[in-house]
Amino acid sequence: MIFTRIIGILLIVAGTAGLIYGDFSFTKETHEAKLGPLELEVQEKENIAIPTWAGAGAIGVGVILLLVGGRRR
């Protein structure tokens, strides 16, 4: 029961962060060529958009898990 409540809280937090920020970016390093002691590196900035429906869905599933996890038999 406590495990489902923790997962529910994490989903609500992640869904809320997804709705507030909308996307996140990170830098990815790729090594293009190594020529002896010379090394050429390329850094690419990746941007990943989080759909609104995914954030809202995560909040909804989190609320359901909190409600189900809170019931005692």
Side-chain angles (χ1 to χ4, degrees), residues 4-37:
T4 58
R5 294 183 83 188
I6 292 172
I7 297 297
I9 291 170
L10 289 176
L11 281 173
I12 291 172
V13 169
T16 304
L19 288 177
I20 290 173
Y21 294 113
D23 63 350
F24 67 94
S25 61
F26 60 93
T27 303
K28 182 173 86 171
E29 286 188 18
T30 57
H31 300 286
E32 290 294 318
K34 288 184 179 180
L35 301 171

Side-chain angles (χ1 to χ4, degrees), residues 55-66:
I59 293 172
V61 171
V63 168
I64 291 171
L65 285 177
L66 277 180

